Structure formats: structure tokens, C-alpha cells
Amino acid sequence: MTKIYFAALLLLISFYSRAQGVKGTVTDEEGNSIPFATIYLTETTTGTTTNDLGEYEILLPAGQYTIVFQGLGFQKTEVTVTIKDQMVTNNIVLKKQEYRIKEVRVYSGGEDPAYPIMRKAISLAPYYQRQTEQYKAEVYLKGSLLMKKIPKLFQKMMEKDEEASDIKVGETYTMESMNEIEFTAPDKYNHTVISSRSTFPDSNDNDVMGYITYSFYEPHQDMAISPLAPNAFSHYKFVYEGFFYEGDVAVNKIKIVPKRKSQQTYSGYIYIVDNLWNIHSIDVTNNAFFGEINIKQVYAPVKERSWLPISHRFIVKASIFGVKADFRYAGSVKYSDIKLNTELPVPNILMQQYAAEEAAKKAAEQQQKELELTRQQKKMEELLAKEELSNRDMIKLSRLIEKESRKTEEEEESLEIKSTYKITHKKDTAKRDSSYWETIRPIPLTSDELRSFEIKDSIKLAEVKADTTQTSRKKRSGFSKASDGFLSGYTFYANDSSTRITYHGLIGLSQVDFNAVDGWNYQQKFTIRHEFDSLHNLRIEPMLQYAFARKKLLWDANASYSFAPKSRARIAISGGQLSKDFNSQYGIDRTLNMFSALFFKDHYMKLYQKDYAAINGSFDLIHGMRVNVAASYNWYRQLQNNTNWSILEQDKDYAPNIPPNDLVTPAHLMDQTDLFTSIEVSYTPRMRYSMYKGRKYHRGSRYPTFKVNYQRGINNLFGSDSDYELIRGTISQKKEWGIFNAFSWQVGAGYFTRNNQMHFSRFQHFNTSEIPVNFKSWENAFLLLDDYRYSTNDWYAKAHVSYTTPYLLLKFLPVLSNRLWTENLYTSYLTQPNYKNYVEVGYSMNQIFLIGSAGVFAGFEDGSYARWGFRVGININ
């Protein structure tokens, strides 16, 4: 054993004796270390950073190198080092950056000098987003997690989770990976993980690459509103704090100040290159609901006029539900094979700023281009030539540049959405020893991070030596697991997991119900799913239910088979005997109706018995056009209230089980037989889609969806009493953009060409909400109309419009501005023979605690005020 340790020691000494490069610390003039200072090697277009302690270490082949050190708030320093056959120590001291103020100039309206700069930067953001067409990059990524606090309650819960139980307060967990990135504009990334290792409890470090590809030029971000977004002036104030020279370019320092406290904004600084209006660096913080996120990115002109981020730093100080943790990520980037987008027109205002020799070389070519400028390009150049842009000019210019930039991309956009981010792992990415990492790591590990890997290695060694038949954790017995599954539900697998049987549990709100017709009822349900292969599956759902007040056993069963995956084909058969809501499509939630009946003696839901057998099928006739065909044979039975019991209001009677509608006659409710047929065709032009495991999934379109539906109740066939015919159609669309922004609309109309005999369940019902609390979406709804009262068997026309935005009215208040809630406006219109020209308008706050909604609505009949109401919604889907 002594010989082995001695050999290892000799190997280590040999390794360090051969290591060559440059290392040291970066400090300020007072001797304080500068963590995550950016280091850039001009010869290799490599960017890296110091670690938390201001230390750096770069392994380099022999030669002479120019190394640039810079930190936000410090002057850039260049040093030239000669590397031979040993490690060179070079400690760097950065001086504080001195900011100058440009010659004072009075702008229109006395606005801050930052605004003209930001208008040009925002306008040119689409250009810089597409300026670089391709590149390859070698990315080293390092992250660390320091768990600072875990409440005792969570600690006890984590003890039951094998992975979570490894998390200890005060411990540092570390990950590092070496990656290759191939980028193709505008958003395609091929990511290859060359090597990785991690001590994180849930080791999925590839998710962090989303930070590295995060661009502030992109206007619609998931995290917050970019200060370079077209609508940035609505959310930020900008303050000019001076400029400094970096070589031949001047860099403007601009403070970003949110206009209101909000989780959808940043605060901090953005540095803009003077007269080029591109990002030099950025240092911003976002205060999210789970904690504080700080982002620092430093850019450099890695090729000609292409400025790309050379270092990344992300610090997340999480604090939620008493759990506190710090996440730190740093990225080092080495670029190669950079290719500019030569098809992208360069604005004249930028051409004038490029080096004189390049401008001379391009002069003749550019002059010819000017002669060929389109009308759109001329408008763009006219706006860029303005010394001062108004906000209106800025938005117009940004749109023009965006439109012009997109011309260089695919003109006929493919309908298939293919993943723009592809990740692959080289074989044995995790099987690298510490000596390998010492030779490639561009950011030194701190002592805590190094200790993290040492502890993991020692644990692995202990696990190898330990007797695998023993375990330090108590495992739950099979009886315990089975009993839990019996109560709350459980999924069983069979036939090599191709068959999945789900038992929905013995106890729960989905098993128990109460209404005035059935009284208490209790149901049991199974779901059986069998996959013949990845593209064909069979699903069977049997259900039994007992209505105690009626002393009636009810049942339902349906089976569906999915096939022809590219056509999304599906066929289903079903049958049963059930108590059904007359308005089965938009009706009242059974759980809400149960609580309303039990506590307030209000029984909103009206029921009938439906015995039925049905078959339906659906498929895509052509891409974007879907056909649904259905037929059913139904026996309708009228029902009465069978109980008057409730928890409260014992002396009060339930309202009769008759829908309140002036058009309803006894003939619409009596026992009858119905032979029903239906065909529906919907079409969405240029529907986008994606393929997953051979199956097609629709992903939306920029165009509306057109839908036509035909229904017929056939008389005198197989004893059918029904005789009705309905033709209806709708056009609808929903557009979403940015963070929580959406606009949706729908118009529809229908006409019963025959209504000689029909059950009330076959009337045209609407999405109403008499009960003040509901679980439904508020789009395309009439939230103040009574249920059933306005259903019709004649003709109707309706329309709905809704608008969602993060800020509209109340969200500007300081108390609410920092919430993730959205504000919503609604307008709905309904007209039919017995109730003409009803208009409903409303305002609501949604996403309250992520699931809640609260709104106020007003209704008008023929232009006169009729009613108002307050509604509460809970979205639990």
C-alpha cells in the first residue's frame, strides 16, 4: 500500500512539474479580491473568470499571449505574458473605473441623456440578435450550491426521500462540465457534453446551460422584461452615469431603474458601446418570488464587429418557505468558427462607425446597396439618421429592423417545429478523474468546492467496501405501500410495463358526491391503458356509482383506441346509465354544487337520467383540418329530488329539479328516446406541429380556427322520438406574447332548422356561472347569467374578447406591483330571440397565489344597465 501512495505522489509531482500557464489573483487597489472578474485571451478568443476568491488559473501551450482583465466598475488592464515550461504567477491589481460625463446637452423635454442612447440600442437589438449567423464554442460551466437553512419540518419530510436526505445545512455542493456548443441563428443550439461531474443531490446540471444561452437582445424572455425590449420604456427609467474609454471605443454606463416594484423587471446597470449601441456588459438583478437573481455578462468583439458574451455569472439567493440557499454559476467561453450573417443588411449608421479601412473597402458595395434599398429599408435609414428618436420612432424602427432581419431567415417557415436545442452526451462523460479536470479547468475551485468532490469520492469508496446486503435506511414494507395506494390511488404495471392499471382510490372528493336528486353517492373507478407499441394504445375506463337516496346503481364504461399517429386518429365506444347535468358541456362543478347544497341549501345543478350507447371517432383529414364524427342512442328519464337533507338550513326546501327556462315545456323534460348524430369539421391554416416518438402534436398557429358543426336528432328510426337539426359555427383565436400577455377572441352563431321534438339537454347551452365561485376559465364565458335560463332551441349569436397583461390598472399600485398576478379585461355579447343584445364587461386579477382569480363584472341589456357581480375562480387544472 505504501508503494501505491508513493507512486501516486510521484505522479502528482510529475503532473504539476509539467503544468504550464498563468495563475494568480485579481484584487482592487485596497487588496480586496475581485470575484468573477473577466479574463479574455485575444489570441484564442477565450473568455473566463476568476472564482469567488478572485483566483484564476489558465493552462496554456508555450507562447506569448495578451490577456485582458476587466471587472465591472474597474478599468480594463492588458498584460502580455510569455509561457515556457512552467506556471507563471501574475497577480493583477485593477484600478477603479473613472466615469466621465459628456458635454452637457439639453434634450427635448429635459430628459436624461440615457434615453437617446437606449432608444438607439432598443431599435438595433433585432439586428444584433441576428448579426452572428454561426459559431462554435467550448463552454466550461461551474456551479455551486450552499444550503444555508432548512426548517425542521422540511428536514423530516426529506428524510423519507433518498436523494433529498443527503442535503445538509452548511454543506457546499458543486458541479462542473465541459461542453461544446454549435450555434446557428436565430436560436438553434447543438450541445455536446464532453465531460461532467457533480455532487448536487439532483444532478441535472445541463439545465444551467439555459443561463449561458440567455440573451438580453431577445425581447420576449421567460424570466423578466429585458431593458432592450420594445416596451422597456413602459417599465423602466434610465439614468446616465457617465462613460469610460476602453481602447478606441467609449462605453456608456446606464442605470436601470424599475418604474415600480415588480417580479417581472430588472434593476442594475447596462453598459452600451457608444455609437454602436450594442451591449458591452450588463449587471442586473431580478427579485423573483423565490429569491434574488443576479446576472452579469461581459461581451467582447471576438471577430470583426461581432460582440459576443465571453463570461457569464449568475448568483441566485433563494429564500422560500423558510428554505435558504445560494446558487452560484460561472461560465467560461472559447469561440471558434465564427461566421457573420452576410445577408443581413448593415444599417448605414453602423457602417459609418466601423474602421476607416473597412468602410473604404465597403464603400462602393454599400453605395450600390443604397441604390437598391427597398422602401422599408429607406424608412429604416431615415429613422436611424435622426439624432434624437422619439419613443414612437424607436418602436417603429425596432419593428422595421426586426422585419428586415427576419428576411434573411427562412422565407417559408416550416410548419414542423423541431427542437432548437439538441443535447448529446459523449460516452463516459462522468468517468473522469481529478487529474483530467486539473488540465482543462479554466476557473479554479475554491476550497469548499474542492472538498465537495473529495467527500463524494470518499462516500463512493465507502459504498464499494460496504456490504451491499446491509442498508442504513429503513425501507417501507410492501403492506404499507399497498395500503396507502388502496386509500389514495395506485398505479400497477404489467406485461413489461406495457399495461398500466390505475386505481383511483377509496377516499377522496372524486369518489364522494351529494345532490338533491341522488343524495349521497359513492363511486369507484379504474383506468386501464395498454400500449401495443409507442404509436398505438388502448384505454379502458370502467366506473361504478351508487346513489343512496335513489337506491340506484349507476355505471359508465368507455374504451378508446389511438392509431394512425400522423393523423391523430382515435375511435371510442362508450355506454352507461348516469345522472347527468342538462348542460353537460359548461355545467356546474359537482364538488361546488355539493358544498353549496350542504351548507346553503342552494342546489344549482339540474339532473336527468341518461342511459346511452355511443361511438365516436376523430382524425385529421388534411394537416390542420380535423373531423369529429359521433353517433349515440339515448334514453332520457326525468328525475325528481329524493332528499331534503343538508348540514345547515334544515327547514328550507331544495328548489325543484326543473331547469329555469321560459322555453322549457313538459315535452322537453319527459321520458324519451333520442337517436343522435353529429359531424364537426375544424380547420386552422398553417398549424404548427411537432413530432414525438412518431406522434404528431399541434402547437398553435398565427391564424384563427374555423369550426362548423352539424347535429341531427333522427325521428322514427329504432323508436327514436327526437326530431331536431342544428347548424352552428365558430371562429376563434388566441395570441400570447411576452410575459403573461395574451389576447383572445371568439365569434359564433347557430340555427335550429328543426326543433319539433328534442330533450332540453340538446338545447344550445352557454358557458354561464350563476354560482359566484367556479373552477372554469373566464375566457368565452357569461359570468353573470343564470344557468339554463338563456339556453335556446332557436337561433343565437355570441362573441367574446379577453385581454391579459401584467400591468393595466391596479398592478401599478406599490402594494400589488411586485405580485405575479395578471390583470384581465373581458367583453362578451349574446343575442337570441328571447334575450337580445346582452353585453357583459369585466375586470379581474388572475394568477393569485398561482391558481386564484377575483373579478367584478357588469351586464347590460339593450344598452341599459342590468346587473353586476363579484366572481372568484380557482384554476386547479
Side-chain angles (χ1 to χ4, degrees):
M1 183 64 72
T2 304
K3 290 181 179 179
I4 295 175
Y5 282 129
F6 183 70
L9 181 61
L10 287 177
L11 184 64
L12 195 61
I13 294 171
S14 173
F15 167 75
Y16 275 106
S17 66
R18 292 197 304 270
Q20 60 188 45
V22 59
K23 66 177 182 178
T25 58
V26 179
T27 61
D28 61 17
E29 293 173 292
E30 297 176 355
N32 300 313
S33 62
I34 303 176
F36 294 99
T38 299
I39 305 165
Y40 181 62
L41 283 78
T42 55
E43 287 82 4
T44 61
T45 64
T46 302
T48 185
T49 73
T50 59
N51 64 13
D52 285 5
L53 304 177
E55 301 165 339
Y56 75 96
E57 182 175 299
I58 308 171
L59 300 178
L60 294 167
Q64 186 170 314
Y65 297 91
T66 300
I67 307 178
V68 180
F69 296 86
Q70 61 189 116
L72 294 177
F74 296 91
Q75 295 182 26
K76 183 170 76 171
T77 297
E78 283 189 13
V79 298
T80 301
V81 296
T82 301
I83 305 299
K84 293 183 180 178
D85 57 355
Q86 61 185 357
M87 187 66 70
V88 176
T89 300
N90 197 337
N91 295 325
I92 303 297
V93 177
L94 297 183
K95 296 180 179 180
K96 284 191 175 181
Q97 186 65 261
E98 294 181 359
Y99 295 95
R100 311 180 195 180
I101 300 297
K102 290 184 177 181
E103 181 181 348
V104 177
R105 179 179 172 191
V106 178
Y107 288 88
S108 57
E111 68 178 6
D112 191 281
Y115 283 84
I117 298 171
M118 290 304 298
R119 287 192 187 99
K120 286 287 180 68
I122 292 169
S123 300
L124 289 167
Y127 169 78
Y128 284 114
Q129 187 183 358
R130 293 168 175 79
Q131 183 190 31
T132 304
E133 184 175 346
Q134 289 180 340
Y135 67 72
K136 290 183 180 179
E138 190 177 88
V139 178
Y140 169 79
L141 186 64
K142 178 171 75 75
S144 64
L145 159 65
L146 172 60
M147 186 59 65
K148 302 176 77 173
K149 183 180 178 182
I150 305 175
K152 289 184 179 179
L153 177 62
F154 286 167
Q155 288 181 14
K156 290 181 179 180
M157 294 169 62
M158 290 164 60
E159 288 174 0
K160 298 179 181 180
D161 190 307
E162 199 164 315
E163 288 187 350
S165 62
D166 293 333
I167 302 176
K168 307 296 182 186
V169 174
E171 291 289 335
T172 296
Y173 303 90
T174 309
M175 56 73 57
E176 60 182 343
S177 63
M178 186 60 72
N179 312 268
E180 286 182 353
I181 300 291
E182 293 185 16
F183 168 77
T184 304
D187 58 1
K188 185 178 179 181
Y189 291 90
N190 284 329
H191 174 194
T192 303
V193 181
I194 301 172
S195 52
S196 66
R197 66 173 180 166
S198 174
T199 64
F200 273 49
D202 183 11
S203 180
N204 190 13
D205 50 88
N206 297 316
D207 292 343
V208 185
M209 286 303 297
Y211 287 113
I212 302 299
T213 59
Y214 195 78
S215 173
F216 284 90
Y217 289 125
E218 172 60 50
H220 306 312
Q221 299 183 353
D222 295 330
M223 190 179 298
I225 299 165
S226 170
L228 293 179
N231 62 339
F233 282 12
S234 298
H235 302 279
Y236 298 107
K237 293 186 288 186
F238 297 99
V239 181
Y240 184 74
E241 294 202 351
F243 75 98
F244 60 90
Y245 279 105
E246 195 172 272
D248 296 331
V249 300
V251 180
N252 299 294
K253 180 183 181 183
I254 296 172
K255 187 176 183 179
I256 304 166
V257 182
K259 287 188 172 181
R260 64 200 66 86
K261 192 176 181 182
S262 170
Q263 296 185 44
Q264 291 118 41
T265 57
Y266 296 104
S267 60
Y269 293 92
I270 187 168
Y271 298 80
I272 301 294
V273 178
D274 199 39
N275 293 325
L276 291 181
W277 299 284
N278 64 282
I279 299 175
H280 168 276
S281 49
I282 192 163
D283 180 2
V284 293
T285 299
N286 169 246
N287 291 300
F289 70 94
F290 56 83
E292 180 182 281
I293 305 171
N294 176 255
I295 303 174
K296 286 185 179 179
Q297 292 180 333
V298 176
Y299 287 63
V302 295
K303 179 180 180 181
E304 300 174 15
R305 55 185 179 270
S306 179
W307 291 67
L308 295 173
I310 57 172
S311 71
H312 304 261
R313 175 197 177 192
F314 302 89
I315 298 178
V316 181
K317 294 183 178 180
S319 179
I320 184 169
F321 302 129
V323 178
K324 293 185 178 181
D326 285 355
F327 298 83
R328 294 173 180 266
Y329 298 102
S332 166
V333 187
K334 178 181 179 180
Y335 291 99
S336 63
D337 299 334
I338 300 170
K339 181 182 177 182
L340 297 181
N341 188 349
T342 56
E343 299 298 321
L344 184 65
V346 181
N348 283 334
I349 196 168
L350 295 181
M351 287 296 297
Q352 295 167 11
Q353 307 302 326
Y354 296 144
E357 59 271 18
E358 184 182 351
K361 186 173 73 172
K362 297 278 187 179
E365 181 182 334
Q366 189 65 22
Q367 187 175 9
Q368 180 61 31
K369 283 185 178 180
E370 288 176 6
L371 294 175
E372 299 171 359
L373 286 178
T374 64
R375 183 179 177 185
Q376 182 171 284
Q377 289 171 331
K378 287 177 181 178
K379 286 182 179 179
M380 187 175 72
E381 296 297 347
E382 287 173 7
L383 289 169
L384 281 170
K386 285 187 176 183
E387 196 165 346
E388 288 186 44
L389 288 175
S390 66
N391 288 353
R392 185 177 179 182
D393 289 338
M394 176 197 70
I395 294 172
K396 186 176 181 181
L397 179 56
S398 178
R399 287 174 179 170
L400 286 170
I401 293 178
E402 171 82 11
K403 194 172 181 180
E404 191 67 24
S405 300
R406 286 191 179 276
K407 282 186 179 179
T408 64
E409 298 168 15
E410 236 181 319
E411 289 207 7
E412 185 63 28
E413 187 180 31
S414 172
L415 294 181
E416 183 178 0
I417 299 174
K418 296 181 179 179
S419 175
T420 60
Y421 192 96
K422 181 181 179 182
I423 183 168
T424 56
H425 294 256
K426 284 194 172 180
K427 190 178 180 181
D428 298 331
T429 57
K431 295 181 180 179
R432 305 284 191 175
D433 58 20
S434 57
S435 61
Y436 163 82
W437 288 100
E438 293 291 347
T439 62
I440 68 164
R441 182 187 298 119
I443 305 175
L445 297 179
T446 64
S447 58
D448 287 340
E449 292 168 343
L450 194 59
R451 180 173 173 270
S452 172
F453 285 120
E454 291 172 348
I455 290 174
K456 183 174 182 179
D457 291 341
S458 65
I459 291 173
K460 281 185 176 180
L461 183 61
E463 287 175 347
V464 170
K465 292 181 178 180
D467 184 358
T468 56
T469 62
Q470 296 180 354
T471 176
S472 61
R473 293 190 177 96
K474 293 182 179 179
K475 292 187 177 180
R476 298 175 64 206
S477 67
F479 176 77
S480 176
K481 291 180 180 179
S483 61
D484 282 356
F486 185 68
L487 292 173
S488 59
Y490 195 74
T491 297
F492 309 85
Y493 293 89
N495 299 328
D496 296 327
S497 299
S498 61
T499 302
R500 184 174 64 194
I501 303 172
T502 299
Y503 170 57
H504 293 267
L506 190 67
I507 300 174
L509 284 177
S510 60
Q511 284 77 27
V512 180
D513 185 27
F514 176 85
N515 61 70
V517 174
D518 296 323
W520 286 103
N521 58 69
Y522 178 76
Q523 73 166 358
Q524 288 288 276
K525 186 176 181 181
F526 286 86
T527 299
I528 304 167
R529 180 184 172 92
H530 177 73
E531 293 187 355
F532 297 96
D533 51 44
S534 62
L535 303 178
H536 302 81
N537 64 76
L538 174 67
R539 182 185 181 97
I540 302 173
E541 287 187 315
M543 185 274 291
L544 284 175
Q545 178 178 326
Y546 188 75
F548 287 88
R550 292 177 60 198
K551 298 180 181 180
K552 181 76 173 178
L553 181 65
L554 304 172
W555 64 277
D556 187 52
N558 63 78
S560 62
Y561 177 62
S562 298
F563 60 101
K566 290 187 177 180
S567 297
R568 303 187 305 140
R570 179 179 177 273
I571 188 169
I573 57 173
S574 58
Q577 185 178 77
L578 297 169
S579 296
K580 294 284 287 184
D581 187 342
F582 283 101
N583 184 355
S584 60
Q585 183 177 1
Y586 305 112
I588 304 158
D589 181 84
R590 282 182 172 265
T591 302
L592 285 175
N593 185 75
M594 176 176 68
F595 285 112
S596 176
L598 290 175
F599 291 98
F600 305 103
K601 213 67 175 283
D602 289 326
H603 192 268
Y604 294 94
M605 184 182 294
K606 307 304 176 186
L607 301 170
Y608 68 100
Q609 181 174 306
K610 179 180 179 180
D611 303 357
Y612 78 102
I615 183 170
N616 63 77
S618 58
F619 60 94
D620 291 346
L621 184 62
I622 59 174
H623 180 68
M625 179 178 287
R626 188 159 184 81
V627 178
N628 291 270
V629 180
S632 64
Y633 195 76
N634 310 281
W635 296 267
Y636 303 131
R637 301 291 180 265
Q638 188 171 3
L639 298 176
Q640 307 295 331
N641 291 339
N642 290 286
T643 181
N644 199 45
W645 187 86
S646 72
I647 296 175
L648 303 177
E649 302 286 348
Q650 296 288 343
D651 298 330
K652 180 181 175 182
D653 291 331
Y654 285 110
N657 186 45
I658 298 174
N661 187 302
D662 293 339
L663 297 178
V664 172
T665 66
H668 296 126
L669 303 176
M670 68 180 186
D671 297 353
Q672 55 189 280
T673 305
D674 174 33
L675 179 58
F676 170 81
T677 59
S678 171
I679 182 169
E680 180 176 275
V681 179
S682 62
Y683 177 63
T684 308
R686 296 196 58 77
M687 173 65 77
R688 306 293 304 280
Y689 70 95
S690 62
M691 300 295 296
Y692 180 70
K693 293 184 177 180
R695 190 174 296 278
K696 182 189 286 186
Y697 296 89
H698 281 180
R699 301 302 184 192
S701 170
R702 291 194 294 266
Y703 297 91
T705 296
F706 302 84
K707 187 179 293 185
V708 176
N709 177 265
Y710 174 81
Q711 296 181 10
R712 177 68 191 265
I714 302 174
N715 186 248
N716 294 326
L717 184 61
F718 303 115
S720 172
D721 303 315
S722 59
D723 186 10
Y724 60 91
E725 186 178 65
L726 169 64
I727 301 172
R728 62 184 179 183
T730 60
I731 307 173
S732 61
Q733 185 178 25
K734 183 172 184 176
K735 289 188 174 184
E736 298 177 305
W737 69 95
I739 301 174
F740 305 126
N741 288 282
F743 179 80
S744 69
W745 59 271
Q746 181 193 87
V747 294
Y751 177 61
F752 282 87
T753 59
R754 304 169 64 88
N755 60 7
N756 297 331
Q757 177 56 47
M758 58 190 303
H759 192 250
F760 183 65
S761 63
R762 292 301 180 188
F763 276 43
Q764 174 62 45
H765 301 284
F766 303 103
N767 190 5
T768 55
S769 182
E770 181 179 357
I771 191 168
V773 179
N774 56 65
F775 292 158
K776 62 179 67 176
S777 169
W778 289 358
E779 294 178 4
N780 308 327
F782 300 97
L783 293 174
L784 297 181
L785 293 186
D786 292 347
D787 298 303
Y788 311 112
R789 188 175 300 279
Y790 304 97
S791 302
T792 183
N793 63 349
D794 202 328
W795 60 265
Y796 72 93
K798 64 173 185 172
H800 303 276
V801 177
S802 65
Y803 173 62
T804 301
T805 180
Y807 293 97
L808 184 65
L809 298 171
L810 298 182
K811 279 291 293 295
F812 286 106
L813 297 175
V815 179
L816 301 176
S817 63
N818 199 35
R819 307 291 181 182
L820 286 174
W821 306 349
T822 61
E823 294 186 271
N824 303 262
L825 293 177
Y826 306 92
T827 301
S828 297
Y829 173 79
L830 175 66
T831 186
Q832 48 119 312
N834 298 305
Y835 192 67
K836 294 184 178 180
N837 301 322
Y838 173 74
V839 175
E840 187 174 285
V841 296
Y843 166 86
S844 75
M845 283 275 198
N846 291 10
Q847 299 295 326
I848 301 172
F849 302 114
L850 301 180
I851 62 171
S853 302
V856 60
F857 297 83
F860 301 85
E861 298 177 8
D862 271 332
S864 300
Y865 168 76
R867 59 179 67 85
W868 77 278
F870 184 77
R871 293 291 182 265
V872 174
I874 302 173
N875 185 2
I876 56 176
N877 295 326

